[in-house]
Amino acid sequence: MKNSIGREIPESVINGLELYQGPFAKNGEVKKAAPKVKPAKPGESKLVSSIEEAIVKCGLRDGMTISFHHHFREGDYILNMVVDAIAKLGIKNLTLASSSLGSVHSPLVKHIKNGVITKITTSGLRGALAEEISRGLMNEPVIIRSHGGRARAIEAGDIKIDLAFLGASSSDEYGNASGARGKAICGSLGYARVDADYADKVVIITDTLVDFPNVPASIPQTKVDYVVRVDEIGNPSGIASGATRFTKNPKELLIAEYASRVIIESGYFKDGFSFQTGSGGSALAVSRFLRNEMIKQGITASFALGGITKPMVEMLEEGLIKNLFDVQSFDLVAADSISRNERHHEIDASFYANPHNRGCIANNLDVVILSALEIDTDFNINVMTGSDGVMRGASGGHCDTAAGAKLTVIVAPLIRGRIPTVVDSVNTVITPGETIDVLVTDHGIAVNPRRTDLIERFMNVSIPVYTIEQLKERAESIVGKPDPIEYEDQVVGIVEYRDGTIIDVVRKVK
Amino acid sequence: MKNSIGREIPESVINGLELYQGPFAKNGEVKKAAPKVKPAKPGESKLVSSIEEAIVKCGLRDGMTISFHHHFREGDYILNMVVDAIAKLGIKNLTLASSSLGSVHSPLVKHIKNGVITKITTSGLRGALAEEISRGLMNEPVIIRSHGGRARAIEAGDIKIDLAFLGASSSDEYGNASGARGKAICGSLGYARVDADYADKVVIITDTLVDFPNVPASIPQTKVDYVVRVDEIGNPSGIASGATRFTKNPKELLIAEYASRVIIESGYFKDGFSFQTGSGGSALAVSRFLRNEMIKQGITASFALGGITKPMVEMLEEGLIKNLFDVQSFDLVAADSISRNERHHEIDASFYANPHNRGCIANNLDVVILSALEIDTDFNINVMTGSDGVMRGASGGHCDTAAGAKLTVIVAPLIRGRIPTVVDSVNTVITPGETIDVLVTDHGIAVNPRRTDLIERFMNVSIPVYTIEQLKERAESIVGKPDPIEYEDQVVGIVEYRDGTIIDVVRKVK
């Protein structure tokens, strides 16, 4: 069966899900999930002495669903510690509902082989785990969800979390937990907060117990069943780099310059505008160009959103941005700012990007700058699978912000390592082309033909403007057309659009 | 049928509810309610031009449940405006689930008579409405719930709110709403936040529309369907008095002095302790005595809780209290402080006192000081019905904090207007005696015999210590035993304990 953007979805994987039909096709009334809660009486202690004890007290059994957040990124010790403990207890056949997974989680390969983990849903997959899954490690396909889509799925009960293990850089004994204070800070705990709202059992794991009350708390005591202190929750240097540096790569700088011209001339760049940039080289450089233009024109932004980086914090502190909404702090400067700047607001993943609440803040974005591994002539975007078909990326907030923002700008080099970025058809669709407005490459830009208003605006701007087909041909004329990736029939990944429909599948590479 | 404290509950009113069996008898796993949500797409406006339009767009129909908060207290314009608009639209037979009701809501008498409102649940009732209901105005008894009990009932689905009308002193057009900024500020919107979390439809009513984003928000955009601007949401002088003044009444001062001695000698008064005082004359004076002793002994409080007043804010600013948790700001100083002091935290009613989450902060209280209209020799407390049997009070957080705190101190004059406060059996039980530790009167104190530890502690303290029977006899010896109130059989009010069981009923006065 084919969905509305023509992706072939094998019937065998549909399993009650619907096929993607358009970015807002599925917008009817929804009913929230109803978590179970065991009340805590005054005087009862929540502190337990080990992860094992927490697992046992929470009643984890074969077949249940466990969850984790990825705010500690490549410095995370928690997921591996917990899954090791579960394996030792002999519990099997679990669904792992992590907000994302990285290279640090390669020990999961062992726990998939030994039957502890049999299903996974995540935003991203990288490293050995991603490699093995792409080559058919699991019987059940991984479900790839965006950050907003995961929040939606949890709130709708599509992901029913039995037990959430949530790392926090500090907590008091009653479970008031923070990511912004302690030894191994990560800043915002935005993804974890949804788990705490909807899981039947919630365990806080920290290496820094502090006096009651540990406030402001990312996760409040009212959501927490147990608290465990361990020696170390993570490696701070893997959690957040010291500070993001600006690129000196001339190709990235050129893309950034074009992208900022696109934004400045788009009609959306005016006092009170709002924007999100990612953490890639070009995206960060865009924020520097925008900053200069904002000073020149005397305009300020009402808010910036997303994964927050040092340049955003600086613009907040300069008064150029009035509010930062932070679902994930990308560097130590951002992680530290959240408890220091009162206009730097921690938000949860539902507030960020859930399409099925009464209006996530992605809806209020004027401009978003996003990257791409591939873009096709329908403007569909792949940020998940590499040129060898192996998963090595993350859905993230890509399709969420693209759907919400008034102007979605994709920044990418036309060619990456002798491989064209603009292609006839992307390996994997994460974000549908109908939500993309402009592609910016180092060779020039292409505007989605749906945006006739923008095409007109850019007619007299000194950026090279092409059709996307022209950009594709240009790329092919330089490096030729790569051989198609050879896949087998087995589906190793299902890509859900943010509304829970199937937008694409990932097949096993040969 | 009788409940565990011997109150007679007519079978006709039980209607599927359980009878009270003890403060923590009902403590098993609960399942949260599942609200319905209509997603908001980017670009859709939430602003509607009138309350009528909001009512129509939300699809309010006969028989539904509407809710309001009482943070505007006697200055509230919103409830009357909305119920008038509903009446004009011809909608009938509604359940009114207000967090509390005051004298300002006497127009409801008309809307009960005309069939618009047929059921009520509230924490308090005062003025003409209370008088009429006490004399049999309604066919269905009013359900009296504590603040924690209301949060529990909403989260459990016992109160299913179809449409919440939530006043806010400022909001942006997308529904980010605040009680702490604008023309008619009330500070915390703690009671309203639970409604926003669980109602199927949420309307923000404000007189001050501000630029997006109006943050920090008490109620976030993700919970709001529509926003209405009206000319005035309330009378600021009725919302919050300028500042609470200390009593000069010698009887109240004597009670306060005894109460502070009780607290200081209780063993709970030590560095890092926590407390809640009310807003009554004696309670406020207690905080002044405690302040002096804290300075003298060089100790600080980890937090103060509750309805927050100017003296609490001053102690926060002096560094004597490290955190204020504010579910309701009792005066303008407190209402203003919440956006000025970063350690002055707005909390919702569930975090405050819901017995069925994973640990409300009432559980963490060391000391609470509470008032009483009556207390009986079983230490049961009445804060609801006057000496004529008419309702003129509020359940509030009384039974919630009494159950949570390690030391619950009741302050009351032994005699009030020629009527004894200490009696054989109170007219109406709001808080069960098993959660009360010490009664402090102007004649001396009585300790609950369950607290042998405290009796021992107070043996060598220079406060007159009596048994509660002795205090009762002393009161009667001065003013005699009053004639019993004459009631009819009709039940006009059902008093729910915080766990949802029936602790008492209020009968129609003759």
Side-chain angles (χ1 to χ4, degrees):
Chain A
M1 293 178 75
K2 280 189 177 171
N3 63 20
S4 73
I5 56 167
R7 308 301 287 198
E8 184 69 44
I9 314 296
E11 287 217 38
S12 59
V13 305
I14 293 177
N15 201 14
L17 292 175
E18 293 173 40
L19 298 191
Y20 173 79
Q21 293 295 327
F24 297 102
K26 209 171 147 66
N27 202 51
E29 195 174 67
V30 293
K31 201 171 166 71
K32 299 278 171 183
K36 284 181 274 187
V37 173
K38 176 71 183 71
K41 279 197 288 191
E44 283 175 352
S45 169
K46 296 184 181 181
L47 202 62
V48 294
S49 61
S50 67
I51 289 172
E52 288 73 9
E53 190 186 346
I55 295 167
V56 171
K57 285 204 159 168
C58 289
L60 187 69
R61 295 189 312 273
D62 288 8
M64 282 187 165
T65 296
I66 56 175
S67 83
F68 300 87
H69 68 73
H70 73 289
H71 289 283
F72 299 127
R73 284 176 287 274
E74 293 295 344
D76 178 41
Y77 291 169
I78 286 181
L79 188 146
N80 294 334
M81 279 195 293
V82 170
V83 180
D84 281 348
I86 289 171
K88 270 189 206 144
L89 289 167
I91 302 165
K92 302 245 175 197
N93 194 23
L94 299 179
T95 297
L96 170 63
S98 200
S99 58
S100 203
L101 295 167
S103 303
V104 70
H105 301 122
S106 54
L108 279 176
V109 172
K110 177 182 69 188
H111 292 302
I112 293 167
K113 287 182 177 162
N114 67 20
V116 174
I117 304 293
T118 48
K119 292 182 195 171
I120 291 179
T121 174
T122 179
S123 163
L125 279 174
R126 290 187 174 86
L129 177 66
E131 186 86 30
E132 293 263 15
I133 289 174
S134 299
R135 298 190 188 285
L137 174 66
M138 300 187 75
N139 292 327
E140 292 278 343
V142 168
I143 302 179
I144 305 297
R145 288 180 163 109
S146 71
H147 293 323
R150 178 179 191 267
R152 182 209 60 74
I154 292 171
E155 294 195 2
D158 295 349
I159 301 174
K160 177 76 208 83
I161 301 170
D162 294 295
L163 179 41
F165 297 94
L166 304 178
S169 58
S170 64
S171 176
D172 59 42
E173 293 191 3
Y174 214 55
N176 293 295
S178 166
R181 300 181 301 278
K183 284 188 291 193
I185 66 168
C186 59
S188 176
L189 287 180
Y191 302 128
R193 286 167 64 169
V194 183
D195 303 42
D197 284 346
Y198 285 87
D200 283 349
K201 294 283 179 188
V202 174
V203 175
I204 294 292
I205 302 174
T206 189
D207 53 14
T208 308
L209 274 180
V210 298
D211 284 346
F212 186 91
N214 184 32
V215 283
S218 302
I219 296 166
Q221 62 184 50
T222 48
K223 310 280 170 73
V224 176
D225 292 284
Y226 297 104
V227 177
V228 187
R229 201 195 69 76
V230 296
D231 289 338
E232 284 183 305
I233 54 169
N235 173 3
S237 71
I239 295 172
S241 55
T244 322
R245 286 190 188 279
F246 281 120
T247 182
K248 288 180 180 167
N249 178 325
K251 208 192 263 190
E252 287 185 345
L253 283 172
L254 184 61
I255 294 169
E257 199 185 322
Y258 286 163
S260 37
R261 292 296 301 281
V262 162
I263 293 164
I264 291 161
E265 302 295 339
S266 67
Y268 298 110
F269 185 74
K270 55 191 177 196
D271 202 46
F273 85 116
S274 60
F275 67 103
Q276 170 167 337
T277 62
S279 60
S282 300
L284 277 175
V286 171
S287 64
R288 182 162 49 164
F289 287 112
L290 287 186
R291 175 181 171 276
N292 294 344
E293 190 69 17
M294 287 166 76
I295 293 170
K296 196 170 133 197
Q297 295 194 23
I299 72 174
T300 59
S302 58
F303 71 90
L305 176 63
I308 298 298
T309 55
K310 181 187 176 206
M312 298 288 117
V313 172
E314 288 172 346
M315 288 171 79
L316 178 78
E317 291 175 347
E318 284 179 302
L320 290 172
I321 297 173
K322 288 190 178 158
N323 295 279
L324 295 181
F325 292 106
D326 188 343
V327 71
Q328 181 177 13
S329 314
F330 273 139
D331 59 34
L332 265 183
V333 175
D336 174 61
S337 157
I338 208 163
S339 55
R340 199 165 39 79
N341 285 308
E342 63 171 11
R343 309 300 295 177
H344 186 161
H345 313 281
E346 180 178 17
I347 60 170
D348 64 48
S350 184
F351 186 91
Y352 173 49
N354 176 359
H356 288 175
N357 63 31
R358 297 178 184 132
C360 63
I361 198 161
N363 286 0
N364 305 98
L365 269 180
D366 289 319
V367 177
V368 65
I369 298 133
L370 296 165
S371 61
L373 293 172
E374 285 182 310
I375 179 168
D376 66 26
T377 49
D378 290 331
F379 285 84
N380 295 316
I381 306 288
N382 170 23
V383 286
M384 193 67 212
T385 46
S387 57
D388 54 358
V390 170
M391 293 189 269
R392 57 166 56 92
S395 173
H398 202 287
C399 69
D400 299 309
T401 51
K406 295 187 182 72
L407 175 69
T408 300
V409 179
I410 300 295
V411 291
L414 187 68
I415 293 153
R416 199 185 262 119
R418 305 287 305 161
I419 308 278
T421 303
V422 190
V423 297
D424 283 319
S425 178
V426 292
N427 284 330
T428 309
V429 180
I430 293 292
T431 298
E434 48 210 308
T435 62
I436 304 296
D437 300 303
V438 185
L439 166 66
V440 176
T441 74
D442 48 328
H443 288 249
I445 73 167
V447 180
N448 191 322
R450 304 160 66 104
R451 295 301 301 266
T452 48
D453 59 323
L454 290 176
I455 294 171
E456 200 157 315
R457 275 189 176 271
F458 298 146
M459 260 156 64
N460 302 312
V461 176
S462 58
I463 314 172
V465 181
Y466 301 97
T467 66
I468 192 139
E469 290 79 10
Q470 287 172 326
L471 284 179
K472 189 207 76 170
E473 282 154 22
R474 194 178 175 112
E476 287 176 0
S477 73
I478 301 169
V479 291
K481 207 166 176 154
D483 294 333
I485 303 165
E486 288 191 67
Y487 289 111
E488 297 185 11
D489 282 344
Q490 187 189 339
V491 171
V492 296
I494 295 172
V495 183
E496 268 195 22
Y497 189 60
R498 62 200 297 249
D499 64 2
T501 59
I502 305 181
I503 194 162
D504 209 349
V505 295
V506 181
R507 289 184 174 77
K508 181 180 171 181
V509 287
K510 265 196 180 155
Chain B
M1 294 178 74
K2 281 187 176 174
N3 64 20
S4 74
I5 55 166
R7 308 302 286 198
E8 183 70 45
I9 313 296
E11 287 218 38
S12 58
V13 306
I14 292 175
N15 201 14
L17 292 175
E18 294 174 39
L19 297 190
Y20 173 80
Q21 294 294 329
F24 297 101
K26 209 172 147 64
N27 201 51
E29 194 173 65
V30 293
K31 198 170 168 72
K32 298 280 172 183
K36 285 181 274 190
V37 173
K38 176 68 184 73
K41 280 197 288 192
E44 283 176 352
S45 169
K46 295 184 181 181
L47 202 61
V48 293
S49 60
S50 68
I51 289 173
E52 288 74 9
E53 190 185 345
I55 295 167
V56 171
K57 284 203 160 167
C58 289
L60 186 68
R61 295 188 313 274
D62 289 8
M64 282 187 164
T65 295
I66 56 174
S67 82
F68 300 86
H69 69 72
H70 74 289
H71 290 284
F72 299 128
R73 285 175 286 272
E74 292 296 343
D76 178 41
Y77 292 170
I78 284 180
L79 189 146
N80 294 335
M81 278 195 293
V82 170
V83 180
D84 281 348
I86 290 171
K88 271 189 205 142
L89 288 166
I91 301 165
K92 303 245 177 196
N93 195 23
L94 298 179
T95 296
L96 170 64
S98 200
S99 59
S100 202
L101 295 167
S103 302
V104 70
H105 301 121
S106 54
L108 279 176
V109 172
K110 177 182 69 190
H111 292 302
I112 293 167
K113 287 182 177 165
N114 67 21
V116 174
I117 304 294
T118 49
K119 292 182 194 170
I120 290 178
T121 174
T122 179
S123 163
L125 279 174
R126 290 188 174 86
L129 176 66
E131 185 85 29
E132 293 262 15
I133 289 174
S134 298
R135 298 191 188 284
L137 174 66
M138 300 187 74
N139 291 327
E140 292 279 343
V142 168
I143 301 178
I144 305 297
R145 288 180 163 110
S146 71
H147 292 325
R150 180 180 190 266
R152 182 209 59 74
I154 292 172
E155 294 194 1
D158 295 349
I159 300 175
K160 177 79 208 79
I161 302 169
D162 294 294
L163 178 42
F165 297 94
L166 304 178
S169 59
S170 64
S171 177
D172 59 40
E173 293 190 2
Y174 215 54
N176 293 294
S178 166
R181 300 181 301 277
K183 286 187 292 193
I185 67 168
C186 59
S188 175
L189 286 180
Y191 302 129
R193 286 167 63 169
V194 184
D195 302 43
D197 284 347
Y198 284 87
D200 283 348
K201 294 283 178 186
V202 175
V203 176
I204 294 292
I205 302 174
T206 189
D207 54 14
T208 307
L209 274 180
V210 298
D211 285 347
F212 187 91
N214 184 32
V215 283
S218 303
I219 297 166
Q221 62 183 52
T222 47
K223 309 279 170 76
V224 177
D225 292 284
Y226 296 105
V227 177
V228 187
R229 200 195 68 75
V230 296
D231 289 339
E232 284 183 303
I233 55 169
N235 172 5
S237 71
I239 294 172
S241 55
T244 323
R245 286 188 187 282
F246 280 122
T247 182
K248 288 180 179 169
N249 178 325
K251 207 192 263 189
E252 288 184 346
L253 283 172
L254 184 61
I255 295 169
E257 198 186 322
Y258 286 163
S260 36
R261 291 296 302 281
V262 162
I263 294 164
I264 291 160
E265 302 295 339
S266 67
Y268 299 111
F269 184 76
K270 56 190 176 196
D271 202 46
F273 85 117
S274 60
F275 68 103
Q276 169 167 337
T277 63
S279 60
S282 300
L284 277 175
V286 171
S287 64
R288 182 163 50 165
F289 287 112
L290 288 186
R291 175 181 172 275
N292 294 344
E293 191 69 19
M294 288 166 77
I295 293 170
K296 196 171 133 194
Q297 296 194 21
I299 72 173
T300 59
S302 57
F303 71 90
L305 175 62
I308 297 298
T309 55
K310 181 186 176 202
M312 298 288 117
V313 172
E314 287 172 347
M315 288 170 78
L316 177 78
E317 291 175 348
E318 284 179 303
L320 290 172
I321 297 173
K322 287 191 178 157
N323 295 279
L324 295 181
F325 292 106
D326 187 344
V327 71
Q328 178 176 16
S329 315
F330 272 139
D331 59 36
L332 266 182
V333 175
D336 174 60
S337 158
I338 209 163
S339 55
R340 199 165 40 79
N341 284 308
E342 65 171 8
R343 308 302 294 180
H344 185 160
H345 313 280
E346 181 179 15
I347 59 171
D348 64 48
S350 184
F351 186 91
Y352 174 50
N354 177 359
H356 287 174
N357 63 32
R358 297 177 186 133
C360 63
I361 197 161
N363 286 1
N364 305 99
L365 268 178
D366 289 319
V367 178
V368 65
I369 298 133
L370 295 165
S371 61
L373 292 172
E374 288 181 309
I375 179 168
D376 65 27
T377 48
D378 290 331
F379 284 84
N380 295 316
I381 306 289
N382 170 23
V383 286
M384 193 66 211
T385 46
S387 57
D388 54 359
V390 171
M391 292 188 268
R392 55 168 55 91
S395 174
H398 202 287
C399 70
D400 299 309
T401 51
K406 295 188 181 73
L407 175 68
T408 300
V409 178
I410 300 294
V411 291
L414 188 67
I415 294 154
R416 200 185 261 120
R418 304 288 305 161
I419 309 276
T421 303
V422 191
V423 297
D424 282 319
S425 177
V426 293
N427 284 328
T428 309
V429 179
I430 293 292
T431 300
E434 49 209 306
T435 61
I436 304 296
D437 300 304
V438 184
L439 166 66
V440 176
T441 74
D442 46 327
H443 288 248
I445 72 166
V447 180
N448 191 323
R450 304 161 67 103
R451 294 302 302 266
T452 48
D453 59 325
L454 290 176
I455 294 172
E456 200 156 316
R457 273 187 179 272
F458 297 146
M459 262 157 66
N460 302 314
V461 176
S462 59
I463 314 172
V465 180
Y466 300 98
T467 66
I468 192 140
E469 290 80 9
Q470 288 172 324
L471 283 179
K472 189 207 75 167
E473 282 154 23
R474 192 175 175 112
E476 287 176 359
S477 73
I478 301 169
V479 292
K481 206 168 177 148
D483 294 332
I485 302 165
E486 288 190 65
Y487 290 110
E488 296 185 11
D489 282 344
Q490 187 191 338
V491 170
V492 297
I494 295 172
V495 183
E496 267 194 25
Y497 189 58
R498 62 199 297 250
D499 65 2
T501 60
I502 304 181
I503 193 162
D504 208 349
V505 294
V506 181
R507 289 185 173 78
K508 182 180 169 181
V509 287
K510 267 196 179 156

